[in-house]
Amino acid sequence: MKTPTEFRAVIRSFAVALVIYLTALSEARADKLVLVAGGPGGDSSTTATTAKLNKPFAVAFDTAGNMYIGEFEGCSIRKVDTHGVISTISGDGKPGFAGDGGPASGGKFNLIHDIVIGPDGNLYIADSSNRRVRKIDLKTNTLTTIAGDGTSKASGDGGPSDKSGLDGVASLFFDPTGGTLYLSGFSKFVRTIDMKTGVIQTVKDLTGGRSIALDSKGNLYVAGGKTLRVRTPDGKVRVLLDDKHTGGSNLALGDNPKHLGIDAQDNVLICDEGHSLIRKYLPAEDKLVTIAGTGKAGGSGLGGAADQTQINRPHGVYFHRVDGMIYIADSWNDRVLRIEP
């Protein structure tokens, strides 16, 4: 029979072994970055992982599982079906404005910054340099403008959104009910569109920013400069992150963060383009963590651990609520990636 001292030694040995095992298991399950779309192939390639992309800035999914990619410099909307086949559904690769009222295949855009799928199943596009929000009805394949008349001065509050002037449009996000579309970007304001009436309004007492997102509770997040702010449903606005409040990180947000996303726990996903990182802000802990990228712009390490894989100036991040994975528009690497467990 073992003495108490010997027994304690066995327990300590077991505890050490358990820690080593759990550490190894954790490392073995480290999230990795894999390629979803973008490669060396030409425009004729039909395989998403080989087809060439031109500065993808945003990703969205429809309820059937098809992925849509908004190309900034490519001025096009690409579709990747559930078999990994890619096609262009709108845009010809050249900047312009055309196609309203006709088939999406005849559409022309001028620097696409964001895309979202609405509760109606249609695709909404931040056609930034045309200062418009465009819509593709994915059932009829018809292209229309739902907001913006092409002028650059903010105007039209209380009236139809397609007769309004937009001082900036780079970020789109639907509220939790799906009844209101929020838009902002390169702007002093955050605007809203009532999807039933088509009326546009300006959110009062809230400075705009490059990117916006809303969580399931209706908290509105705005990123601009080196700051992340939130407007709570009661109308109060407070700063969450800036040069002095870094969420426990030794690295403050880079200047002018790009798109925001919301995960299943209502954490805020942030494209920290300036540092070539994807970061996550945990409101419940007031904590900022890195989930992808090394902090050095590049393209190496694909297939490895997400935080050891280089990305290059990411502009889009999307949490897919069906598969539970995060998709990244790795913009200056001309590819779309996915974080997998």
Side-chain angles (χ1 to χ4, degrees):
M1 183 175 180
K2 295 183 181 295
T3 66
T5 299
E6 291 173 329
F7 185 76
R8 286 193 293 270
V10 170
I11 294 298
R12 283 196 297 270
S13 297
F14 175 79
V16 170
L18 181 61
V19 169
I20 292 173
Y21 170 77
L22 291 176
T23 300
L25 185 62
S26 175
E27 291 175 350
R29 292 180 177 175
D31 290 343
K32 60 183 178 181
L33 273 181
V34 301
L35 181 68
V36 177
D43 292 337
S44 61
S45 176
T46 59
T47 303
T49 52
T50 60
K52 183 175 177 57
L53 300 180
N54 191 354
K55 300 299 178 291
F57 266 30
V59 175
F61 282 81
D62 64 21
T63 55
N66 300 301
M67 179 174 71
Y68 298 85
I69 303 169
E71 291 185 316
F72 174 68
E73 290 186 359
C75 298
S76 298
I77 303 296
R78 313 290 292 276
K79 175 183 176 182
V80 180
D81 69 16
T82 55
H83 300 290
V85 176
I86 192 169
S87 59
T88 299
I89 66 168
S90 197
D92 61 3
K94 299 177 182 179
F97 176 74
D100 272 5
S105 58
K108 290 179 73 70
F109 307 92
N110 195 351
L111 304 181
I112 295 170
H113 271 82
D114 200 8
I115 60 173
V116 294
I117 297 288
D120 55 5
N122 296 320
L123 181 69
Y124 294 83
I125 304 158
D127 189 2
S128 301
S129 289
N130 281 326
R131 298 187 181 278
R132 291 176 169 90
V133 179
R134 317 280 291 279
K135 180 182 82 171
I136 298 177
D137 186 314
L138 294 178
K139 292 181 180 179
T140 65
N141 198 38
T142 302
L143 175 68
T144 55
T145 290
I146 71 154
D149 61 5
T151 58
S152 61
K153 184 179 179 179
S155 64
D157 273 5
S161 58
D162 60 349
K163 304 299 182 184
S164 65
L166 302 179
D167 71 326
V169 52
S171 184
L172 306 174
F173 217 97
F174 278 94
D175 78 336
T177 70
T180 303
L181 177 63
Y182 285 72
L183 57 141
S184 185
F186 324 121
S187 172
K188 297 178 181 178
F189 311 106
V190 175
R191 314 286 295 277
T192 63
I193 301 171
D194 185 308
M195 299 305 290
K196 288 184 178 180
T197 66
V199 171
I200 191 168
Q201 298 284 6
T202 296
V203 178
K204 295 181 180 179
D205 303 319
L206 180 64
T207 303
R210 168 60 176 78
S211 299
I212 54 175
L214 288 103
D215 69 12
S216 66
K217 302 178 184 66
N219 294 302
L220 171 60
Y221 294 91
V222 181
K226 295 184 178 181
T227 302
L228 178 69
R229 288 169 284 124
V230 65
R231 181 181 187 269
T232 51
D234 61 6
K236 295 180 180 179
V237 178
R238 59 191 178 92
V239 174
L240 300 173
L241 298 171
D242 59 17
D243 285 336
K244 296 180 180 179
H245 305 85
T246 61
S249 172
N250 60 5
L251 181 67
L253 285 178
D255 193 37
N256 206 19
K258 300 308 185 282
H259 293 334
L260 305 178
I262 303 292
D263 71 11
Q265 290 74 43
D266 276 342
N267 298 312
V268 185
L269 307 173
I270 306 169
C271 280
D272 189 346
E273 181 220 8
H275 294 126
S276 289
L277 295 172
I278 301 297
R279 308 177 80 177
K280 178 166 63 175
Y281 176 72
L282 291 69
E285 303 177 41
D286 188 26
K287 186 177 181 181
L288 180 65
V289 297
T290 293
I291 61 172
T294 65
K296 181 179 180 180
S300 66
L302 196 60
D307 60 0
Q308 297 177 34
T309 301
Q310 291 181 334
I311 54 180
N312 195 348
R313 299 181 62 190
H315 276 64
V317 61
Y318 178 91
F319 175 74
H320 195 327
R321 295 187 177 275
V322 175
D323 66 22
M325 297 184 193
I326 295 170
Y327 291 76
I328 301 167
D330 187 10
S331 307
W332 258 252
N333 280 327
D334 294 322
R335 63 191 186 185
V336 174
L337 309 177
R338 179 173 61 219
I339 301 178
E340 294 185 350

